[in-house]
Amino acid sequence: MSNRTPLMAGNWKMNLDWKQGLALVEELGEQLAGVDMSRVEAAVLPPFVDIRTVQTAVEAGSLPIAYGGQDLSAHESGAYTGEVSGSMLKALGATYAAVGHSERRQYHGEDEAVTNAKVKAAFAAGLVPILCVGEPLEERQAGNQVEYTLAQLRGGIEGLDAADAKQIVIAYEPVWAIGTGEVATPDDAQEVCAAIRGALREQYGPEVADAVRVLYGGSVKSSNVAELMTKEDVDGALVGGASLKAEEFAKIVGYQG
Ligand code: 13P
């Protein structure tokens, strides 16, 4: 048993306007009243335009829900039209920022250099990056999932010191399991999550490796989360579709291990 606190993070993607987001967070707060929140952490990653509202609801209700961005700019401030900085998120009480989600890599051409710059920008702003890594189907079929994912990991954390590395959250999200209903088996998830921790151990030593939370993401639901969580190196989940319903996401947070 590790002493890492599991993290269940809901990535809303481009869903829910601020009113819908408000309704979801308030309902989630009610649902989580029945969950022992001393053993698990819950977070939501809403669209940027919802975050102020989420902050207000969380503070007003003292809800046990952390929140953050689905992305952030690699830059601190300035002439970067359309971008949102880490310090802007921090000013809204955000804890986390997802970085390098496969949809950012695929649709916005974000490569290792951009991802690495965003990881560093998150730390510079006092946010915890959730660095997303994971292989596409053809790499899995070729048996290259570990090698491919570790290359993304090493690129994403390049140049981080041990103090930052110890705080980071890594989300292993095999691309073929995202939004497809095809969840990785617990053994598949464990294989790559263990390899991620092994790479961190090699680079930073056991103290960092044992502290970092490695999440699994890809078609996680209340019906499959408990089995995934039995695995030694799986410390939580990054949840897409199933985080859009309060009752379902609360069941994931309150999984029975
Ligand atoms: P789904 O849970 O909808 O498969 O999405 C996973 C994901 O991409 C979370 O970031």
Side-chain angles (χ1 to χ4, degrees), residues 76-163:
E76 269 175 48
S77 66
Y80 300 101
T81 300
E83 297 204 20
V84 171
S85 72
S87 60
M88 290 171 181
L89 289 168
K90 185 70 182 174
L92 290 170
T95 303
Y96 296 105
V99 173
H101 191 280
S102 60
E103 288 148 21
R104 300 296 312 174
R105 295 177 193 262
Q106 186 179 348
Y107 305 131
H108 301 270
E110 295 193 4
D111 59 11
E112 305 308 354
V114 171
T115 300
N116 182 239
K118 289 186 173 189
V119 164
K120 288 175 177 163
F123 278 122
L127 298 170
V128 173
I130 301 175
L131 172 63
C132 305
V133 293
E135 81 286 354
L137 184 60
E138 57 275 18
E139 298 292 341
R140 161 77 44 175
Q141 284 169 338
N144 290 336
Q145 63 274 11
V146 168
E147 196 185 330
Y148 184 95
T149 302
L150 293 189
Q152 286 185 331
L153 172 73
R154 293 194 180 102
I157 64 174
E158 197 181 312
L160 283 196
D161 63 22

Side-chain angles (χ1 to χ4, degrees), residues 11 13 101-103 132 173 177-181 217-220 238-242:
N11 175 8
K13 308 193 178 184
H101 191 280
S102 60
E103 288 148 21
C132 305
E173 298 205 308
I178 295 178
T180 58
S219 299
V220 173
L238 186 54
V239 184

Side-chain angles (χ1 to χ4, degrees), residues 18-210:
W18 71 268
K19 285 184 189 165
Q20 296 165 324
L22 175 61
L24 177 57
V25 163
E26 286 180 337
E27 204 187 328
L28 184 58
E30 284 168 26
Q31 298 277 343
L32 292 179
V35 174
D36 176 4
M37 294 304 293
S38 65
R39 58 182 272 275
V40 62
E41 187 185 345
V44 294
L45 307 178
F48 289 135
V49 291
D50 295 8
I51 292 181
R52 173 65 176 150
T53 309
V54 167
Q55 175 189 30
T56 306
V58 165
E59 288 180 359
S62 300
L63 306 181
I65 304 169
Y67 51 90
Q70 297 171 14
D71 181 35
L72 82 166
S73 177
H75 307 285
E76 269 175 48
S77 66
Y80 300 101
T81 300
E83 297 204 20
V84 171
S85 72
S87 60
M88 290 171 181
L89 289 168
K90 185 70 182 174
L92 290 170
T95 303
Y96 296 105
V99 173
H101 191 280
S102 60
E103 288 148 21
R104 300 296 312 174
R105 295 177 193 262
Q106 186 179 348
Y107 305 131
H108 301 270
E110 295 193 4
D111 59 11
E112 305 308 354
V114 171
T115 300
N116 182 239
K118 289 186 173 189
V119 164
K120 288 175 177 163
F123 278 122
L127 298 170
V128 173
I130 301 175
L131 172 63
C132 305
V133 293
E135 81 286 354
L137 184 60
E138 57 275 18
E139 298 292 341
R140 161 77 44 175
Q141 284 169 338
N144 290 336
Q145 63 274 11
V146 168
E147 196 185 330
Y148 184 95
T149 302
L150 293 189
Q152 286 185 331
L153 172 73
R154 293 194 180 102
I157 64 174
E158 197 181 312
L160 283 196
D161 63 22
D164 281 348
K166 198 173 168 181
Q167 301 296 319
I168 202 169
V169 176
I170 307 293
Y172 168 56
E173 298 205 308
V175 177
W176 49 270
I178 295 178
T180 58
E182 187 159 343
V183 65
T185 67
D187 286 340
D188 288 341
Q190 168 62 17
E191 179 197 31
V192 184
C193 291
I196 288 169
R197 197 176 311 286
L200 292 170
R201 188 172 293 115
E202 216 172 87
Q203 197 165 334
Y204 293 101
E207 200 187 320
V208 168
D210 292 343

Side-chain angles (χ1 to χ4, degrees), residues 6-10 173 214-217 220 225 228-229 234-239 249 252:
L7 170 62
M8 299 298 173
E173 298 205 308
V214 182
L215 315 184
Y216 166 78
V220 173
V225 67
L228 288 159
M229 291 301 291
V234 178
D235 303 316
L238 186 54
V239 184
F249 188 54
I252 291 172

